[in-house]
Amino acid sequence: AQSVSQHNHHVILSEAASLELGCNYSYGGTVNLFWYVQYPGQHLQLLLKYFSGDPLVKGIKGFEAEFIKSKFSFNLRKPSVQWSDTAEYFCAVITYSGGYQKVTFGIGTKLQVIP
Amino acid sequence: EPEVTQTPSHQVTQMGQEVILRCVPISNHLYFYWYRQILGQKVEFLVSFYNNEISEKSEIFDDQFSVERPDGSNFTLKIRSTKLEDSAMYFCASRGGVSTDTQYFGPGTRLTVL
């Protein structure tokens, strides 16, 4: 069965600091990888996704993530965070079985950006 | 941009009562999902639905849960006899017909069981 690990549960950064949130997955087959963001009081929104091709994926709001297959990792990065990036970030793995899609989420990382 | 909507945003109920959570998926989507997130825990898959039947369900989705697409637009999750541990945020998601399509999530319904 697939699983997703997010190593940092709560991260506090000052504005303009660089961000890297770790995500590792466990699955033997082909996976597609996503990062979702949940701003306070709002629903899950897609930040970026990796299906194939260039392992460095650029998403919205200056976020990017790098898929490293050998490390089973898909870490999220942003060079300079803003107060508005305060949110919870979820890494997710999508696997396919019989044509059906299954999403497995990590536990989430709460990011707090201090002005 | 089309979006998934859910009602109500917050539902408070007594233990043992039935609740129905409603979702309106994006109109041309074919696959529908329910997830839940207990406070402080990760988002967990409950069930997926395609072609008017359940395609997959997790161990959480026991006989107390059921899903239905009663008309062409709504997708509902029913909990027959709620328990305290059913208190959570419930998210609906939908996606298009291509296997690589992204799932789009609704804003969630916060269910509080007293």
Side-chain angles (χ1 to χ4, degrees), chain A residues 53-67:
Chain A
D54 189 346
L56 185 62
V57 179
K58 294 195 185 300
I60 60 172
K61 304 186 181 185
F63 285 91
E64 64 178 33
E66 186 174 12
F67 171 52

Side-chain angles (χ1 to χ4, degrees), chain B residues 6-111:
Chain B
Q6 289 184 244
T7 54
S9 56
H10 193 181
Q11 173 95 44
V12 180
T13 190
Q14 296 286 333
M15 191 169 59
Q17 296 295 303
E18 173 184 286
V19 294
I20 297 176
L21 309 182
R22 292 185 166 78
C23 168
V24 179
I26 294 172
S27 64
N28 61 347
H29 282 185
L30 301 177
Y31 293 83
F32 313 109
Y33 305 83
W34 282 102
Y35 296 83
R36 78 170 185 193
Q37 184 182 24
I38 294 171
L39 190 64
Q41 298 184 25
K42 64 179 177 180
V43 178
E44 301 171 290
F45 167 77
L46 291 178
V47 66
S48 59
F49 191 86
Y50 170 72
N51 201 25
N52 281 321
E53 58 183 29
I54 290 173
S55 49
E56 190 172 0
K57 60 184 181 179
S58 72
E59 59 275 9
I60 302 167
F61 194 88
D62 61 22
D63 292 344
Q64 292 300 311
F65 291 88
S66 62
V67 288
E68 197 178 28
R69 190 154 159 81
D71 52 42
S73 59
N74 289 284
F75 179 51
T76 62
L77 174 70
K78 184 195 289 187
I79 309 175
R80 261 180 271 282
S81 177
T82 49
K83 304 188 281 281
L84 294 176
E85 53 264 38
D86 293 327
S87 294
M89 184 75 99
Y90 287 81
F91 293 102
C92 172
S94 71
R95 72 172 176 94
V98 178
S99 63
T100 54
D101 281 346
T102 304
Q103 290 184 27
Y104 290 87
F105 285 80
T109 292
R110 180 167 297 288
L111 175 65

Side-chain angles (χ1 to χ4, degrees), chain A residues 36 43 49 51 90 96 101 103, chain B residues 99-103 106-107:
Chain A
Y36 283 89
H43 58 97
K49 60 184 177 182
F51 278 96
F90 294 91
Y96 300 86
Q101 195 185 81
V103 182
Chain B
S99 63
T100 54
D101 281 346
T102 304
Q103 290 184 27

Side-chain angles (χ1 to χ4, degrees), chain A residues 38-51:
Chain A
Q38 188 176 24
Y39 296 102
Q42 297 188 30
H43 58 97
L44 286 164
Q45 299 173 39
L46 183 67
L47 202 54
L48 48 77
K49 60 184 177 182
Y50 171 79
F51 278 96

